[in-house]
């Protein structure tokens, strides 16, 4: 190779490296959010996962590499403090230069109230227009209101009181999260991660705090569609050179969500009407989107250990109401499921709201939702 050609090759390599370096560094909290961001960034870059896959986000201690991901991030997408109140201080302390988006606060996001009862009798979702057809209309309707040109989200943007001319990200793209002094979180634990050699985990007295809303909103494909649009808009604004790729990926992802909804409805159709109990109350967004209600939950939405009275109440309903299935979760001790089903013929299975055994990446989210439907159909 001539010196001239060698020089051109080096220049091309350097130019390619510069283009790659210009892609925003993005940090996300949990695997399902990682999947949505990875789908939008597909072919351009990839986000960093902060909470280790398979770990419960309700209680967690950041590893040094995870704290570093927050510190180096230019953008952060997370569910919000309703899911991980302990993470708010870390985001505010470490991601000081990042644009931070709480997905629960994105305009158009469906939010459901936190449920305290062990048995969900009387809980309904009429105000969310979830008809018994299982949302097949979702796969056919146009989604116009988020100004994605040819791909808006009419049905996916009508669950807030505010208007939805845009995603309202200026309100949510804040550099710090305020008001987290009550979380029992060591203010300096994450600074030590970022400034020292990251040799130890920071300790967090996380406790169990929850807000007014159930935070497991990622289990609604309708929310996923809304968030995909928000993520694409944020990335396109931060990285105009790749804006077309982000928007094209978002459009393809929305089409995949329509197919996903149809698949899940088909899977659940043979077992509709059967009664089941979940380990902790993490699934009401899935229940609402697919009109497939659980009878109750052994533990609350924040996964706090249930009281003896709550366990006894669930046991009574399992024995008396013909519950077909009780579902454990891989993140928690299955002993409670064995306790509440003792002496019955009730089937048991496993639901995983975080997709612990799935491969991270752009295909993760449809696999996660399908895995929930498959587990329910198998157990019921």
């Amino acid at each position: 190779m001539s010196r001239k050609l060698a020089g051109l090759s080096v220049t091309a390599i350097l130019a390619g490296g510069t283009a790659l370096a210009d892609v925003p560094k993005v940090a996300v909290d949990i695997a399902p959010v990682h999947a949505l961001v990875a789908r939008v960034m597909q072919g351009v870059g990839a986000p960093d996962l902060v909470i280790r896959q398979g770990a419960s986000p309700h209680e967690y201690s950041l590893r040094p590499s995870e704290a570093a991901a927050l510190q180096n991030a230019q953008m952060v997408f997370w569910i919000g403090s309703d899911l991980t109140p302990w993470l708010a201080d870390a985001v505010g302390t470490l991601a000081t230069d990042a644009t931070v988006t709480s997905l629960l606060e994105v305009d158009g996001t469906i939010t459901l109230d936190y449920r305290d009862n062990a048995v969900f009798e009387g809980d309904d979702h009429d105000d969310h227009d979830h008809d018994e057809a299982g949302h097949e209309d979702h796969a056919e309707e146009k989604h116009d209101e988020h100004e994605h040109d040819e791909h808006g989200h009419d049905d996916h943007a009508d669950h807030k009181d505010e208007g939805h001319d845009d995603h309202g990200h200026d309100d949510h793209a804040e550099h710090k999260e305020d008001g987290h002094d009550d979380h029992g979180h060591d203010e300096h634990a994450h600074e030590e991660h970022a400034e020292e050699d990251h040799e130890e985990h920071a300790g967090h007295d996380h406790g169990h705090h929850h807000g007014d809303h159930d935070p497991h909103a990622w289990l609604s494909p309708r929310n996923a569609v809304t968030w995909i649009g928000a993520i694409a808009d944020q990335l396109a604004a931060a990285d105009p050179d790749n804006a077309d790729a982000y928007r094209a990926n978002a459009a393809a992802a929305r089409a995949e969500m329509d197919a996903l909804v149809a698949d899940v409805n088909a899977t659940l159709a043979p077992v509709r009407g059967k009664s089941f109990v979940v380990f902790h109350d993490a699934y009401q967004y899935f229940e609402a989107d697919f009109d497939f209600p659980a009878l109750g939950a052994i533990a609350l939405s924040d996964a706090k250990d249930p009281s003896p009275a709550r366990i006894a109440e669930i046991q009574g309903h399992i024995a008396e109401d013909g519950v077909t299935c009780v579902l454990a979760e891989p993140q928690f001790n299955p002993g409670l499921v064995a306790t509440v089903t003792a002496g019955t013929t009730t089937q048991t299975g496993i639901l995983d709201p975080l997709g612990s055994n799935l491969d991270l990446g752009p295909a993760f989210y449809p696999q996660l939702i399908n895995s929930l439907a498959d587990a329910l159909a198998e157990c019921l």
Side-chain angles (χ1 to χ4, degrees):
M1 180 184 293
S2 71
R3 290 179 182 272
K4 183 175 180 181
L5 288 176
L8 288 172
S9 298
V10 171
T11 300
I13 292 170
L14 290 175
T18 300
L20 184 62
D22 288 340
V23 174
K25 293 181 179 179
V26 182
V28 300
D29 54 351
I30 58 174
V33 175
H34 181 278
L36 298 179
V37 176
R39 182 65 184 92
V40 175
M41 296 185 75
Q42 189 170 11
V44 180
D48 292 317
L49 182 63
V50 172
I51 299 175
R52 185 179 72 255
Q53 187 179 15
S56 170
H58 295 293
E59 290 186 314
Y60 190 73
S61 293
L62 291 179
R63 294 176 170 183
S65 60
E66 295 157 351
L70 279 178
Q71 184 185 35
N72 295 330
Q74 295 165 285
M75 306 179 73
V76 175
F77 294 100
W78 68 318
I79 295 295
S81 59
D82 279 359
L83 178 68
T84 51
W86 59 268
L87 185 58
D89 281 346
V91 171
T93 300
L94 293 174
T96 54
D97 295 325
T99 297
V100 178
T101 301
S102 170
L103 294 174
L104 283 178
E105 296 178 5
V106 167
D107 283 347
T109 298
I110 302 164
T111 55
L112 300 176
D113 290 341
Y114 186 91
R115 299 189 290 198
D116 289 309
N117 295 334
V119 175
F120 305 143
E121 292 172 339
D123 286 319
D124 61 71
H125 308 287
D126 292 343
D127 54 349
H128 300 291
D129 298 325
H130 298 158
D131 62 36
E132 193 155 51
H135 311 295
E136 291 165 356
D137 288 347
H138 169 76
E140 302 170 3
E141 293 169 349
K142 299 289 184 181
H143 313 297
D144 301 328
E145 298 241 342
H146 284 298
E147 293 194 10
H148 292 302
D149 299 329
E150 72 279 17
H151 302 282
H153 310 294
D154 190 35
D155 272 6
H156 306 288
D158 58 359
H159 301 279
K160 294 256 184 189
D161 291 333
E162 300 83 12
H164 307 302
D165 291 339
D166 54 45
H167 290 292
H169 300 298
D170 290 340
D171 292 338
H172 307 296
E174 298 167 355
H175 295 286
K176 301 199 67 162
E177 303 284 341
D178 300 321
H180 307 294
D181 293 342
D182 59 343
H183 298 299
H185 191 79
D186 183 350
E187 290 180 0
H188 304 293
H190 295 291
E191 290 177 358
E192 292 169 3
H193 276 317
E195 296 173 3
E196 298 177 7
D197 289 332
H198 306 310
E199 294 178 353
E200 298 181 359
H201 292 202
H204 310 295
D205 180 15
H206 298 157
H208 292 278
H209 305 279
H210 66 77
D212 292 334
H213 297 123
D214 181 341
H216 302 86
W218 67 87
L219 295 182
S220 163
R222 297 194 296 166
N223 278 341
V225 168
T226 298
W227 295 349
I228 284 166
I231 292 163
D233 283 353
Q234 290 275 43
L235 286 166
D239 181 16
D241 289 345
N242 290 302
D244 288 346
Y246 297 136
R247 292 190 173 113
N249 286 340
R254 286 192 290 274
E256 292 162 6
M257 293 297 168
D258 289 338
L260 169 64
V261 169
D263 289 345
V264 170
N265 279 318
T267 300
L268 295 177
V271 293
R272 285 192 179 279
K274 294 189 177 182
S275 182
F276 65 98
V277 168
V278 296
F279 178 80
H280 92 289
D281 187 15
Y283 304 94
Q284 71 165 322
Y285 289 92
F286 181 95
E287 297 168 41
D289 261 32
F290 296 102
D291 191 25
F292 201 81
L295 180 140
I298 299 171
L300 290 166
S301 179
D302 62 0
K304 182 177 180 180
D305 290 341
S307 67
R310 187 180 179 101
I311 292 173
E313 183 179 0
I314 288 290
Q315 284 176 314
H317 280 278
I318 289 172
E320 297 170 8
D321 294 345
V323 172
T324 304
C325 176
V326 177
L327 294 125
E329 292 179 26
Q331 292 84 15
F332 301 101
N333 188 337
L336 284 174
V337 171
T339 296
V340 300
T341 57
T344 74
T345 58
T346 302
Q347 298 293 315
T348 60
I350 296 177
L351 281 182
D352 185 357
L354 294 168
S356 303
N357 295 322
L358 301 176
D359 292 335
L360 290 175
F364 176 101
Y365 187 84
Q367 292 173 2
L368 170 64
I369 301 302
N370 272 316
S371 73
L372 298 181
D374 290 342
L376 286 164
E378 182 178 350
C379 192
L380 292 170

